[in-house]
Amino acid sequence: MRLGSYYLGNGQCQFTVWAPQREAVAVHLLDANDGSSLSHDRLIPLNRGDRGYWQITTRAQPGTLYRYQLDHHLERPDPASHWQPQGVHGPSCIVDPDAFTWQDADWRGIPLAQMVIYELHVGTFTPEGTFTAILDRLPDLLDLGINAIELMPVAQYPGDRNWGYDGVYPYAVQHSYGGPTGLKTLVNACHQAGIAVILDVVYNHLGPEGNYLWDYGPYFTEKYKTPWGSAINFDDADSDEVRAYFLGNAQYWLQDFHIDALRLDAVHAIYDFSAQPFLQELADRVATLSDATYQRYLIAESDLNDARVIRPKSLGGWGHDAQWCDDFHHALHTLLTGERSGYYADFGGIEHLAQAYRRGYVYAGEYSVHRRRRHGNAPSDCRAEQFVVCCQNHDQVGNRLAGERLSLLVDFEGLKLAAGAVLLSPFVPMLFMGEEYGETAPFLYFVSHGDANLIEAVRRGRAEEFKAFHWLGEVPDPQGLEVFALSKLDWARSPQGNQGRLRSFYRQLIQYRRTFPALATLDTRSQQVVTVPEQPGLWLHRWVETQEVLILMNFAAVALTIAPPWPPGIWQRCLDSADSQWAGPGAIAPTTLQENTIVTLSPRSVVMYQA
């Protein structure tokens, strides 16, 4: 069953809505969105079916605006609207799903283990802030070596600027970005260029403004509370139909928009104690949409450090393909910056990063000072490709008081070291837009709500969030136009000076990752991780049958000498971030390495050898 308005062709449209607590439901057809008026408004009653579904097939054309009328008086937009051209409070609009001509019939996707992901926010990635404006940047991303972009949420939110996590119409594409046609145009172009598209979706809450689901049925439950209020009803009475709404949404993105993977926001805030959890059912649904030549993926964001998220259903897991690995980011960030406040209190030692390289999770049952309890379990049976790692992302940058990127927290050598730590890891790497050239513009939190009380509540909430980190300064106003304008990328920096050198360094790392078998093979079992005693340094030995590599990292602000022995063989240096080629102070590590060679690394540097 397809929810919402589904255009069947020949001037016929089917309307389906779930409203189990209503005595009557009608569709109110309004003027056409293209400016041509209907001969008169039409109010057409829907027929009630099983489990509170209402449905009718009637004459209506694409572009027609409509609302549902509930119990003869209350008019609301469609909860499964495919387009809200006038915003969250306006009427919904009929879309013809077959009007777009796809040109990606030969697309077979990118295997997860081969992805180099680039996270971006549509509104700030370009000056125009639209889907079509991204097209002009695809050649730059391809040249860099990117083969997958991850879009922050694009579901319709209030106003025209937002991170996307305040979306209230999960099926509708944000009108200010270009609506459904704009998103299809972007995905089509990406596939033709060889780039996969990952879409960030939010199934743990809906935003407060324009959220009319309450008027239709028990989409929410008071059994649990989330940071955003009442939890979505995934295990209470009538939850089967709530699940169907979100399962259908996932299928909608993957089928109708040819999306390659879904990134699920904060699955730890999805409360569900049923025997078959929604997240497990979701993985089953996505699996039915994959075949032998083209697999779709689910990538979860979770702070549970619970391997059940990515374990197969046959082993009691939820069956998701991968998850964001925050532990890796935190271990790397604290070594680079020295920050220890908030959740960073659990990190800071070189052994934390070493543990992340060994198993993804740093905390797999150990005691967490920040949480004041043991945290996590061991992902010993999970594959390396199931962990997505980064040194920056929208959360870790945007949830700082001033939205500082890593480029404002560490020096130039530290930026190259961070790049090497991520891109030479045995995990799936992700970059945050602008990171590759050291963008210095902040990425701040911004909204464009229309309710004054809600705006003030958001301001207070942001100030409260920052207290644990003891950051000083005035909290930027999330509602202000300035924070949105400041957060846009400055592409003019990309080819200039050190920014251009940094981008070239990223490009070289990605090329090595693709062409070196020892780097292209993601396997934590085919590596050795060794820390330097009492020093912030470590080295990785990664191997396959045809090649071995040694990756040495120095996180100290001074040179670091590492004593042998090294793995047997003659090793040739192929990369040193301190080299003048990368605007460094000059390489001091030996060009050739043997078992008993003493190695000195430049401050804040990464060096790679191959045998």
Side-chain angles (χ1 to χ4, degrees):
M1 182 182 297
R2 294 189 62 129
L3 296 172
S5 58
Y6 182 48
Y7 184 66
L8 302 171
N10 299 319
Q12 297 293 305
C13 186
Q14 182 183 80
F15 294 89
T16 305
V17 63
W18 183 60
Q21 299 167 343
R22 294 296 174 176
E23 297 299 321
V25 177
V27 60
H28 188 181
L29 299 177
L30 307 170
D31 290 345
N33 186 51
D34 61 7
S36 61
S37 297
L38 301 172
S39 57
H40 54 81
D41 287 2
R42 287 191 290 149
L43 191 65
I44 304 164
L46 274 65
N47 302 313
R48 182 163 192 156
D50 294 338
R51 295 195 177 190
Y53 286 100
W54 301 76
Q55 191 174 75
I56 193 69
T57 298
T58 188
R59 179 172 55 85
Q61 295 287 349
T64 301
L65 301 175
Y66 69 96
R67 290 189 179 93
Y68 286 124
Q69 188 181 90
L70 309 176
D71 291 346
H72 306 294
H73 71 281
L74 182 65
E75 295 215 350
R76 290 289 184 255
D78 187 343
S81 170
H82 295 172
W83 191 19
Q84 290 292 120
Q86 297 177 22
V88 298
H89 302 294
S92 305
C93 185
I94 298 172
V95 174
D96 182 357
D98 298 321
F100 186 82
T101 302
W102 289 96
Q103 298 169 309
D104 65 346
D106 295 330
W107 175 248
R108 294 295 178 267
I110 303 290
L112 181 62
Q114 296 177 17
M115 286 187 182
V116 178
I117 303 172
Y118 190 93
E119 186 192 21
L120 65 89
H121 177 268
V122 176
T124 56
F125 183 65
T126 65
E128 299 85 355
T130 63
F131 294 122
T132 54
I134 296 172
L135 302 183
D136 290 339
R137 287 294 164 190
L138 294 184
D140 293 326
L141 298 181
L142 284 170
D143 177 72
L144 183 62
I146 299 300
N147 61 9
I149 62 170
E150 179 174 316
L151 305 176
M152 290 175 65
V154 302
Q156 185 72 42
Y157 55 71
D160 57 6
R161 58 189 188 279
N162 195 289
W163 275 16
Y165 300 96
D166 288 320
V168 288
Y169 293 90
Y171 287 78
V173 182
Q174 176 65 19
H175 72 284
S176 60
Y177 290 167
T181 300
L183 178 56
K184 290 180 178 180
T185 301
L186 173 61
V187 175
N188 189 59
C190 284
H191 286 177
Q192 290 179 296
I195 297 174
V197 180
I198 304 167
L199 181 63
D200 196 339
V201 294
V202 185
Y203 294 160
N204 53 46
H205 76 288
L206 276 79
E209 183 179 348
N211 179 1
Y212 295 113
L213 288 180
W214 300 89
D215 296 318
Y216 285 91
Y219 280 91
F220 302 92
T221 176
E222 298 302 316
K223 283 173 62 175
Y224 318 108
K225 290 294 183 181
T226 76
W228 310 281
S230 300
I232 292 178
N233 176 20
F234 285 116
D235 69 356
D236 207 348
D238 296 307
S239 59
D240 284 358
E241 273 49 67
V242 177
R243 285 172 175 240
Y245 177 84
F246 288 99
L247 292 170
N249 181 255
Q251 185 166 332
Y252 172 70
W253 294 123
L254 298 174
Q255 284 190 327
D256 288 31
F257 287 83
H258 297 199
I259 296 295
D260 297 278
L262 300 177
R263 181 265 188 185
L264 305 175
D265 179 63
V267 299
H268 49 269
I270 293 176
Y271 298 104
D272 176 5
F273 291 92
S274 60
Q276 184 179 15
F278 164 75
L279 289 167
Q280 190 180 75
E281 191 176 1
L282 177 61
D284 287 344
R285 176 68 63 90
V286 172
T288 66
L289 302 177
S290 299
D291 55 41
T293 59
Y294 185 12
Q295 183 175 353
R296 270 76 165 199
Y297 298 102
L298 283 179
I299 303 172
E301 180 199 16
S302 170
D303 77 347
L304 301 174
N305 279 23
D306 187 347
R308 284 179 296 181
V309 174
I310 51 178
R311 280 201 181 107
K313 183 178 178 180
S314 60
L315 296 178
W318 297 347
H320 292 205
D321 300 287
Q323 71 158 92
W324 275 21
C325 186
D326 283 348
D327 275 16
F328 184 96
H329 169 273
H330 300 345
L332 178 59
H333 182 90
T334 51
L335 281 172
L336 291 167
T337 66
E339 294 183 350
R340 299 290 187 276
S341 57
Y343 47 71
Y344 291 140
D346 281 339
F347 303 88
I350 193 66
E351 185 57 36
H352 292 124
L353 183 60
Q355 196 69 287
Y357 278 118
R358 293 184 187 113
R359 65 187 186 191
Y361 298 158
V362 173
Y363 287 86
E366 292 84 359
Y367 184 81
S368 158
V369 173
H370 172 65
R371 292 177 170 84
R372 294 164 54 193
R373 60 173 172 81
R374 288 173 295 169
H375 178 59
N377 56 37
S380 53
D381 55 348
C382 299
R383 304 184 308 279
E385 68 191 62
Q386 293 185 281
F387 296 96
V388 177
V389 300
C390 68
C391 63
Q392 301 184 67
N393 63 41
H394 77 271
D395 271 329
Q396 304 305 332
V397 175
N399 284 326
R400 300 178 64 87
L401 187 148
E404 308 104 313
R405 294 167 177 268
L406 200 58
S407 57
L408 295 181
L409 302 176
V410 303
D411 60 16
F412 187 67
E413 300 309 306
L415 293 180
K416 290 182 288 181
L417 175 56
V422 170
L423 288 165
L424 301 178
S425 77
F427 307 116
V428 176
M430 184 179 74
L431 283 57
F432 182 54
M433 60 177 193
E435 166 191 330
E436 72 277 14
Y437 62 86
E439 175 64 75
T440 56
F443 184 71
L444 295 158
Y445 182 72
F446 42 82
V447 296
S448 51
H449 292 307
D451 182 285
N453 292 330
L454 177 58
I455 293 168
E456 188 55 36
V458 171
R459 289 169 176 156
R460 290 195 304 270
R462 292 297 286 178
E464 190 66 28
E465 284 182 33
F466 297 138
K467 286 183 178 179
F469 291 91
H470 309 293
W471 287 319
L472 301 177
E474 183 178 349
V475 179
D477 182 8
Q479 184 73 11
L481 279 168
E482 297 82 1
V483 297
F484 178 66
L486 286 171
S487 299
K488 285 183 176 283
L489 296 187
D490 182 2
W491 284 102
R493 294 177 179 271
S494 179
Q496 306 299 321
N498 277 4
Q499 284 76 23
R501 294 286 186 92
L502 182 60
R503 186 187 184 282
S504 296
F505 187 69
Y506 267 85
R507 186 176 182 273
Q508 181 66 75
L509 288 171
I510 295 172
Q511 184 177 354
Y512 279 142
R513 186 180 178 89
R514 289 254 171 81
T515 57
F516 278 25
L519 297 177
T521 302
L522 306 188
D523 188 353
T524 54
R525 297 166 300 179
S526 299
Q527 70 169 2
Q528 179 186 14
V529 185
V530 180
T531 58
V532 180
E534 301 180 359
Q535 297 292 334
L538 62 75
W539 53 271
L540 309 178
H541 176 205
R542 297 183 59 191
W543 64 83
V544 292
E545 288 187 5
T546 57
Q547 188 190 43
E548 298 179 56
V549 296
L550 273 177
I551 303 157
L552 288 65
M553 302 181 206
N554 176 18
F555 288 88
V558 296
L560 175 64
T561 298
I562 307 178
W566 304 104
I570 299 176
W571 302 83
Q572 301 297 326
R573 193 182 74 197
C574 52
L575 178 81
D576 190 333
S577 63
D579 197 291
S580 58
Q581 175 185 1
W582 311 117
I588 59 175
T591 56
T592 302
L593 183 68
Q594 297 187 43
E595 190 170 359
N596 294 315
T597 305
I598 296 175
V599 176
T600 300
L601 301 177
S602 300
R604 300 261 184 159
S605 66
V606 56
V607 180
M608 183 168 69
Y609 292 86
Q610 65 169 323

